[in-house]
């Protein structure tokens, strides 16, 4: 029986593209993206969102307050990290009939935790199977600022995984955190000032620099670098994935008035910029 030539051509073309997709996915590395919230982690993950990664089963990729294109976080990953952090972050307490220590983040607020370096976060056996299933969907790309604290608990499940640390100027991050607390209803019960928000930034990057970065392959990426071809080339080379060069929009970048920052934050920022090859001047 004669076969229709058009049908044959379509089959060949489909097989060609299927082979290209399989080859592309096989070259992609698993990725964990971290860094303080409001530093560009969502933008960075969005740049990789169309490359074929598994980002989770319940991904928050719709417009959200101060994140018009979504934050690309998986609710299950968030929940596991929340439970891990709840073991070391005390909740607000009633003192003489008054709710006190309202600077302590509670449910789904713990991306704003301030965990001292050296704090041991134990695994939770009840979530071991969830973590295994999530990291079995390869290639995966998970992003959560909470990884800045919880990464050691996830490491046993992270084979062939590279890490991306996203950051920007600490005073801009702290002011953006305060705006998020003001705008997002789920954060309205949390009390935080500029010094506390800056301490979130200091604590997260201290964990990354002092503990996490010494194991595995790391890319340090300044927010401003993600807006350049050179920065996007570096992200693509590090992950093995294609990047969406139209995703990072410069018009979404906000300007914040300059605020003095303490010496320890300045030292951390300087080190991050050196690791990223970014000239902060």
């Amino acid at each position: 029986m004669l076969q229709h030539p058009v049908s044959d051509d379509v089959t060949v073309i489909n097989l060609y593209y299927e082979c290209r997709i399989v080859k592309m996915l096989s070259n992609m590395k698993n990725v964990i993206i971290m860094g303080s919230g409001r530093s560009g982690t969502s933008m960075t993950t969005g740049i990789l969102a169309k490359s074929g990664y598994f980002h989770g089963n319940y991904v928050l990729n719709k417009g959200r307050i101060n994140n018009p294109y979504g934050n690309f976080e998986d609710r299950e990953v968030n929940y596991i990290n929340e439970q891990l952090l709840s073991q070391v972050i005390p909740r607000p307490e009633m003192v003489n009939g008054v709710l006190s220590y309202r600077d302590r983040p509670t449910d789904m607020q713990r991306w704003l935790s301030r965990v001292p370096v050296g704090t041991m976060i134990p695994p939770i056996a009840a979530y071991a199977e969830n973590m295994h299933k999530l990291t079995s969907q390869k290639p995966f790309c998970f992003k959560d600022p909470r990884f800045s604290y919880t990464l050691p608990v996830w490491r046993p499940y992270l084979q062939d995984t590279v890490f991306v640390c996203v950051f920007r100027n600490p005073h801009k991050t702290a002011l953006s955190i305060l705006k998020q607390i003001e705008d997002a209803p789920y954060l309205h019960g949390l009390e935080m000032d500029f010094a506390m928000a800056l301490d979130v930034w200091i604590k997260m990057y201290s964990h990354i620099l002092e503990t996490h970065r010494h194991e595995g392959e790391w890319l340090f990426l300044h927010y401003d670098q993600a807006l350049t071809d050179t920065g996007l080339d570096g992200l693509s080379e590090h992950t093995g994935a294609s990047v969406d060069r139209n995703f990072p929009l410069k018009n979404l970048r906000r300007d914040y008035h300059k605020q003095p920052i303490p010496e320890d934050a300045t030292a951390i920022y300087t080190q991050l910029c050196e690791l990223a090859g970014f000239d902060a001047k």
Side-chain angles (χ1 to χ4, degrees):
M1 180 181 293
L2 293 176
Q3 294 183 339
H4 197 290
V6 174
S7 176
D8 286 348
D9 288 345
V10 170
T11 300
V12 170
I13 291 172
N14 287 340
L15 286 173
Y16 169 75
Y17 281 110
E18 286 177 8
C19 289
R20 284 195 62 182
I21 292 171
V22 169
K23 183 177 180 180
M24 179 187 69
L25 292 176
S26 67
N27 291 333
M28 291 164 56
K29 301 174 183 176
N30 301 315
V31 183
I32 296 291
I33 297 176
M34 70 189 76
S36 170
R38 312 306 304 161
S39 288
T41 53
S42 296
M43 177 179 67
T44 303
T45 313
I47 291 169
L48 298 172
K50 294 182 179 179
S51 59
Y53 276 117
F54 171 70
H55 290 279
N57 297 307
Y58 312 98
V59 181
L60 303 169
N61 57 2
K62 296 182 179 180
R64 294 168 63 83
I65 294 173
N66 296 324
N67 258 343
Y69 297 100
N71 63 10
F72 302 96
E73 294 180 9
D74 177 65
R75 293 181 183 179
E76 187 175 7
V77 170
N78 286 169
Y79 181 80
I80 292 170
N81 282 332
E82 280 280 311
Q83 299 310 302
L84 291 171
L85 287 171
S86 71
Q87 301 175 103
V88 298
I89 302 296
R91 302 177 70 90
E93 301 175 13
M94 295 297 295
V95 179
N96 297 325
V98 178
L99 184 63
S100 304
Y101 307 108
R102 293 179 59 187
D103 62 318
R104 298 174 178 174
T106 58
D107 298 336
M108 302 313 297
Q109 300 176 344
R110 294 186 180 95
W111 62 275
L112 293 169
S113 298
R114 291 171 283 155
V115 181
V117 173
T119 301
M120 298 298 295
I121 300 176
I124 300 176
Y127 301 121
E129 183 63 22
N130 302 74
M131 297 166 78
H132 173 71
K133 287 182 178 179
L134 283 164
T135 53
S136 295
Q137 301 286 329
K138 299 176 181 179
F140 60 77
C141 176
F142 299 136
K143 166 255 177 176
D144 188 350
R146 302 169 186 85
F147 280 129
S148 304
Y149 297 134
T150 65
L151 179 60
V153 183
W154 287 84
R155 278 202 185 272
Y157 306 92
L158 303 179
Q159 282 74 46
D160 301 317
T161 302
V162 298
F163 306 94
V164 179
C165 171
V166 187
F167 67 98
R168 67 169 170 168
N169 187 293
H171 90 268
K172 292 181 179 180
T173 307
L175 290 172
S176 184
I177 285 173
L178 295 180
K179 178 170 175 51
Q180 186 74 4
I181 291 173
E182 179 183 350
D183 294 346
Y186 82 98
L187 295 172
H188 285 176
L190 180 64
E191 292 184 351
M192 185 168 285
D193 58 20
F194 178 79
M196 294 175 182
L198 193 59
D199 195 38
V200 172
W201 188 95
I202 291 171
K203 292 289 196 300
M204 284 195 163
Y205 291 109
S206 293
H207 276 260
I208 293 169
L209 291 174
E210 295 182 31
T211 305
H212 306 332
R213 75 179 180 96
H214 300 292
E215 181 179 348
E217 299 179 36
W218 286 80
L219 174 71
F220 288 83
L221 187 69
H222 192 286
Y223 179 100
D224 291 348
Q225 289 176 308
L227 301 174
T228 68
D229 285 336
T230 301
L232 293 175
D233 289 343
L235 181 62
S236 179
E237 181 179 354
H238 184 66
T239 61
S242 60
V243 294
D244 184 354
R245 296 178 184 272
N246 296 318
F247 185 84
L249 300 175
K250 294 182 180 180
N251 64 329
L252 294 180
R253 180 172 51 186
R254 293 188 177 93
D255 291 325
Y256 293 96
H257 57 278
K258 187 74 173 179
Q259 291 271 25
I261 59 175
E263 291 184 2
D264 53 349
T266 300
I268 291 170
Y269 184 57
T270 298
Q271 186 177 3
L272 289 168
C273 288
E274 290 175 351
L275 288 167
F278 178 75
D279 185 358
K281 296 181 181 178

